[in-house]
Amino acid sequence: MDWLIEPFMPIMINALMFFYRLFGQSFVVSLALLTAIVRILTVPLMLPMQKSARKQAELQPQIQAIRKKYAKNQQKQNEELMKLYREAGINPMGGCLPMLIQLPIMFAFYRAIVQALAFKPGELFFGLGKYIASSAAFSTLVPLNSRFLWLDLAIPDRTYILPVLVGLTTWLSQKLTPSTASSGGDDQAQAMSQSMMLTMPLMFAFITINYASGLAVYFIISNLVGMGTQYFINRALPTTQTTGGRAGKSTKAIKEAPAPTPQSSPANSQSRSRPRSTSKRKGKGKRR
Amino acid sequence: MKYENTSNIRQDVPFHLEVIVLKYTKRIALGLLLTMVVLAVAACSAPPFAWPGLAADGQAVYATLLDGKIHAFDPSNGSELWVFPPQAERKPGLGCTGPSQTSLGLYASPALTEENLFVGSYAGQTYALDRSSGTQRWSFASQEETKGGLAGFFTRKKNPAIIGSPTLDGDTLYIPSADQTLYVVDAASGTRQWDFQAGDAIWASPLVTDDRIYVASMNHKLYCLDKDSQTELWAFDAQGAIPSTPALAGDTVYLGSLGRQVFAVDADTGQLRWSFEAGSWAWATPLVISDTVYASEVNGILYALDAESGAKRWDFTAQGKVQATPAYADETLYLPAEDQNLYALDSVAGTQKWQFTASAALMSTPVMVGDKLYLAGMDNKVYALNAENGAKIWEYSVTQE
């Protein structure tokens, strides 16, 4: 992973130190500013992903119809789906690539936070020292003031307040972010989305129990900034009229979707899965 | 959400990707989460906590290695005499701060007496061990905490790590702690006598003379205390954190700081005599031999400075970073570096005599006993070299559990 993260490290560390020096040697202010900047700078990477998700949501009726029509012919089904995506101008990888591109940036940010808060000789020497040992401006700032409220940002928060806040804000942030699955995806995708909706906040909360609390503060700020930017993205992007997802406002689309022919859908599959999926979508629509 | 019907569907449909995906949704989600966790942990993989520490005399060589233990060796052949603690007490931990790698975390160089050995741990314990057997005689726990509100719910425990070696002065042991306190304890029993609050972490061993105690703190200050009254006489601002012990020669104290400077300070008054600006952090303790101060910066440069004026006489650049103070004997400086090399240099001219290449970075000050030079690598290897020519006499390697 180092080869992927390392190119971003000098930028992250120096930016953290720059803001730390500029704003009264407050690590939390420095962290908040840089988090906001990074999140805002990565919005252009997020937009294609979200546009793609919304387009896919709009196409769900057609996608479902194709899947049912060619349920027994996987190759044909894939061909038709790809054709549909092409015609709609959707690149299936368009959603993943931007996310993959920003991963090293995020990981470099994690590492920069941890290394900036180093309080062990090895961490300071091999970590932060690698980037700022020659800097006249930043060398005198070491060690950074890691105190914030009741916290020492360099060590885990033993009151467990931050891990709870991380879990809560992660959950809220996910609720606000549309995905292909949540905005009208099929049953399987929705099931996965729901599973992630619960397990992701728990996992992040668990991670922050053991990590430096500075990282937890970062997660919280990042989630809050993310929710703010998401609010504006939601306003900027056109609302989809689809299958009961949060982006859509009604279940109109699914009702108007072409019904699969009896021949195209296996009897049992139709009798079991379709009614269940419809009712579930309605249920989700109500919950939201 | 239950998917109990999927098995029925599968019986009726020979191949249906959706059904398979549906059935394994939870596993897929779990797999994705685990992948994220692995990536997150990899993203903040921690560098080594510290580096090995060494102490030696004619009886034995003692090394605190990166396995978090102290090892005693026979100086003649490198055979292990004992190890403390004998069994690792692994603590569960995940992530960047996780102490998962080691047990007690003994990294500071031990301090030796005729019968005892004193060493501090990252967990804040100082141990007095029997030198011959490695059995524990007493331990002292340092743990300062700041009381918080809500019936102590917000009580903040300070980092109790002992990073610098304890300093022994007669019957008294001076223990520097990252919890900002210098603990002064009775060396025979480990009973606390008094302490000094430095305002920030103390990583360096204190320098103790007949009547003074010099304490370097990470809050940029070098404190001079009166030994009898335990009061502060003066404090010198080094314009950068001071991670290592100052050196005393005559009436001058020499110290390096992370503010990229080497200072000479009047030992009585704390007045600045001169300063030398290095190109990067001056981490190591300066070495004073006769009228020359040898001070290094972390970017791998060793400077020879005039002790009176601070004027540079020569410099030598290693290929890797330098953290340790060089060892000295017979007009030869032995400088370990991160590039895995131990450089033997002419102390007058600064020219290289020979070099020994280890199998990992060399970050610790070598120890000279007689004509043997002991050094420890970052891969848990201890070497005994012929100080004359760098020839290896023996090598010991610890196998990590």
Side-chain angles (χ1 to χ4, degrees):
Chain A
M1 288 292 286
D2 274 3
W3 61 271
L4 205 59
I5 296 167
E6 205 50 42
F8 300 100
M9 284 297 290
I11 302 165
M12 293 296 178
I13 291 273
N14 281 288
L16 266 175
M17 297 298 289
F18 175 77
F19 288 127
Y20 178 79
R21 192 180 183 207
L22 196 64
F23 292 98
Q25 302 193 3
S26 166
F27 190 76
V28 167
V29 172
S30 170
L31 187 60
L33 270 170
L34 192 57
T35 305
I37 290 169
V38 169
R39 286 301 298 244
I40 289 165
L41 286 178
T42 52
V43 165
L45 293 174
M46 297 293 290
L47 275 176
M49 193 166 67
Q50 297 203 5
K51 280 180 181 170
S52 174
R54 281 161 198 261
K55 275 187 183 175
Q56 286 190 53
E58 287 171 14
L59 292 178
Q60 275 308 312
Q62 291 100 305
I63 292 169
Q64 294 290 354
I66 289 169
R67 282 187 175 156
K68 292 204 183 298
K69 187 173 179 182
Y70 301 105
K72 287 185 175 174
N73 188 343
Q74 199 65 45
Q75 192 181 343
K76 183 69 179 168
Q77 186 189 104
N78 288 341
E79 282 172 11
E80 289 298 315
L81 282 173
M82 289 307 294
K83 190 178 163 190
L84 180 67
Y85 286 146
R86 262 200 308 275
E87 285 170 358
I90 296 173
N91 177 4
M93 292 302 288
C96 301
L97 280 178
M99 197 169 75
L100 289 176
I101 289 167
Q102 62 174 319
L103 273 180
I105 300 171
M106 291 302 162
F107 289 157
F109 201 6
Y110 298 167
R111 191 183 280 189
I113 293 165
V114 172
Q115 293 198 351
L117 291 169
F119 68 105
K120 290 169 185 161
E123 291 174 348
L124 188 60
F125 186 88
F126 297 108
L128 193 60
K130 193 169 156 186
Y131 307 102
I132 67 156
S134 305
S135 164
F138 298 151
S139 283
T140 53
L141 301 175
V142 175
L144 272 61
N145 176 18
S146 58
R147 301 274 181 252
F148 177 65
L149 300 177
W150 72 95
L151 298 164
D152 181 345
L153 299 172
I155 58 177
D157 173 22
R158 289 299 170 217
T159 65
Y160 300 108
I161 292 173
L162 287 189
V164 169
L165 287 175
V166 166
L168 192 67
T169 53
T170 306
W171 182 79
L172 279 171
S173 177
Q174 280 184 307
K175 284 287 279 185
L176 277 175
T177 308
S179 65
T180 312
S182 59
S183 55
D186 52 27
D187 286 349
Q188 297 83 357
Q190 281 201 8
M192 193 184 294
S193 177
Q194 278 204 335
S195 171
M196 297 285 274
M197 182 83 87
L198 184 67
T199 45
M200 283 282 279
L202 288 176
M203 189 58 79
F204 272 97
F206 176 73
I207 287 172
T208 49
I209 287 172
N210 292 293
Y211 275 51
S213 50
L215 201 63
V217 171
Y218 159 72
F219 282 140
I220 293 166
I221 296 169
S222 178
N223 285 335
L224 293 175
V225 173
M227 282 188 263
T229 50
Q230 191 58 51
Y231 172 77
F232 289 105
I233 289 171
N234 286 349
R235 285 180 59 137
L237 292 178
T239 310
T240 53
Q241 296 294 316
T242 57
T243 58
R246 72 178 66 82
K249 301 294 182 196
S250 71
T251 54
K252 182 182 166 192
I254 193 160
K255 286 176 184 167
E256 291 177 354
T261 58
Q263 299 89 328
S264 67
S265 180
N268 283 339
S269 171
Q270 187 187 15
S271 63
R272 291 179 190 275
S273 65
R274 186 174 159 70
R276 183 161 55 85
S277 66
T278 308
S279 64
K280 193 187 316 171
R281 282 186 192 116
K282 283 179 180 175
K284 273 182 84 67
K286 278 176 189 171
R287 278 201 298 276
R288 286 168 190 160
Chain B
M1 192 176 295
K2 293 180 180 177
Y3 304 106
E4 68 275 8
N5 290 337
T6 55
S7 56
N8 293 339
I9 297 168
R10 198 176 180 187
Q11 286 168 9
D12 301 326
V13 184
F15 176 78
H16 200 304
L17 187 63
E18 288 182 344
V19 175
I20 293 167
V21 170
L22 184 60
K23 184 170 183 181
Y24 295 108
T25 293
K26 285 182 182 174
R27 290 182 190 181
I28 292 166
L30 189 65
L32 281 170
L33 279 171
L34 287 174
T35 307
M36 284 195 65
V37 171
V38 168
L39 289 174
V41 172
C44 58
S45 59
F49 286 179
W51 29 79
L54 280 170
D57 59 12
Q59 296 176 42
V61 179
Y62 303 95
T64 47
L65 300 178
L66 296 187
D67 61 353
K69 298 178 180 180
I70 181 163
H71 301 257
F73 306 100
D74 184 328
S76 61
N77 57 18
S79 61
E80 192 173 85
L81 301 172
W82 51 260
V83 60
F84 177 85
Q87 295 293 324
E89 297 169 20
R90 287 181 184 277
K91 294 168 78 175
L94 172 73
C96 305
T97 61
S100 52
Q101 297 94 325
T102 60
S103 51
L104 295 176
L106 300 165
Y107 302 111
S109 300
L112 305 177
T113 66
E114 280 296 313
E115 295 180 343
N116 294 331
L117 173 153
F118 304 97
V119 67
S121 79
Y122 261 47
Q125 298 276 336
T126 301
Y127 297 92
L129 307 179
D130 182 302
R131 271 187 62 170
S132 55
S133 63
T135 51
Q136 184 179 322
R137 293 198 160 160
W138 55 257
S139 71
F140 170 80
S142 58
Q143 179 63 80
E144 289 290 315
E145 54 184 37
T146 306
K147 293 290 178 192
L150 291 178
F153 185 68
F154 292 107
T155 293
R156 191 179 66 214
K157 287 191 174 178
K158 293 175 184 171
N159 171 25
I162 293 168
I163 290 159
S165 309
T167 301
L168 190 69
D169 179 55
D171 296 333
T172 307
L173 196 65
Y174 297 84
I175 304 165
S177 171
D179 71 5
Q180 312 183 358
T181 309
L182 175 72
Y183 295 94
V184 182
V185 303
D186 177 56
S189 63
T191 312
R192 188 167 171 171
Q193 295 178 337
W194 57 277
D195 56 58
F196 169 74
Q197 295 292 325
D200 206 332
I202 308 171
W203 285 11
S205 304
L207 171 66
V208 183
T209 67
D210 288 344
D211 56 351
R212 301 282 172 91
I213 304 163
Y214 298 92
V215 184
S217 168
M218 294 299 279
N219 71 349
H220 304 189
K221 297 268 175 55
L222 173 69
Y223 296 95
C224 176
L225 311 179
D226 183 273
K227 204 158 115 181
D228 293 330
S229 65
Q230 299 148 22
T231 53
E232 182 183 320
L233 298 175
W234 52 260
F236 173 77
D237 186 351
Q239 298 157 41
I242 314 169
S244 60
T245 308
L248 180 71
D251 60 353
T252 306
V253 174
Y254 301 91
L255 65 145
S257 92
L258 300 193
R260 310 187 316 150
Q261 298 209 69
V262 180
F263 298 98
V265 177
D266 187 305
D268 287 327
T269 63
Q271 293 296 307
L272 176 69
R273 290 194 164 154
W274 55 257
S275 67
F276 172 81
E277 185 160 343
S280 61
W281 294 351
W283 188 300
T285 295
L287 173 70
V288 188
I289 305 291
S290 184
D291 62 346
T292 306
V293 178
Y294 300 96
S296 60
E297 63 167 73
V298 298
N299 278 358
I301 304 174
L302 177 70
Y303 299 96
L305 309 174
D306 184 287
E308 280 296 312
S309 64
K312 187 173 85 175
R313 289 180 175 159
W314 54 258
D315 62 52
F316 172 83
T317 305
Q319 289 164 33
K321 291 178 180 295
V322 169
Q323 181 279 141
T325 303
Y328 173 84
D330 298 331
E331 295 194 344
T332 303
L333 294 164
Y334 302 93
L335 179 70
E338 192 195 19
D339 60 18
Q340 307 183 10
N341 289 320
L342 176 79
Y343 297 93
L345 309 174
D346 183 297
S347 64
V348 178
T351 51
Q352 185 176 325
K353 290 181 173 178
W354 51 261
Q355 75 180 52
F356 169 78
T357 303
S359 55
L362 299 172
M363 306 302 296
S364 316
T365 298
V367 175
M368 189 90 183
V369 180
D371 58 353
K372 279 184 192 162
L373 190 69
Y374 301 100
L375 66 154
M378 291 293 282
D379 58 353
N380 287 334
K381 281 186 182 172
V382 179
Y383 303 89
L385 306 181
N386 183 322
E388 190 78 16
N389 53 21
K392 187 166 71 181
I393 300 169
W394 55 258
E395 173 187 313
Y396 175 85
S397 179
V398 173
T399 309
Q400 285 270 27
E401 290 177 28

